Amino acid sequence: MKIIPFKVGDIIELKKPHPCSSKEFTVLRVGSEMRVVCLGCGRDMNIDRIKLEKATKRVISSEQQTQSPDNKN
């Protein structure tokens, strides 16, 4: 099994929705136990990295969302 490279600030989409019906979470802390917050309801939770890797559908890195075209003159 390949280790998914999570970074603080990444937004991850899970396979199954949270009870609030949101599938997206923001990573607050990485390590063997990770801290994530739900983007739907704001619930903050700790989850084992192995469980999170199995539940993750895709990682939307924070850099992809904040990228903007460079305007160089």
Side-chain angles (χ1 to χ4, degrees):
M1 181 187 213
K2 184 181 176 190
I3 297 174
I4 300 173
F6 294 111
K7 293 179 285 201
V8 174
D10 282 353
I11 296 174
I12 56 174
E13 182 181 349
L14 301 184
K15 294 175 185 173
K16 294 184 179 180
H18 190 244
C20 73
S21 74
S22 175
K23 289 186 175 185
E24 294 185 342
F25 290 78
T26 302
V27 177
L28 298 179
R29 185 179 64 218
V30 295
S32 61
E33 184 175 81
M34 300 187 54
R35 185 172 171 205
V36 294
V37 64
C38 177
L39 291 178
C41 64
R43 174 78 177 193
D44 189 352
M45 63 190 92
N46 291 328
I47 186 168
D48 290 332
R49 185 183 189 102
I50 293 170
K51 280 187 174 184
L52 189 62
E53 286 179 351
K54 289 179 181 179
T56 300
K57 185 174 183 179
R58 67 185 177 123
V59 176
I60 307 165
S61 73
S62 55
E63 291 129 16
Q64 288 178 350
Q65 291 206 343
T66 59
Q67 275 185 353
S68 61
D70 292 335
N71 295 332
K72 294 184 179 180
N73 296 354

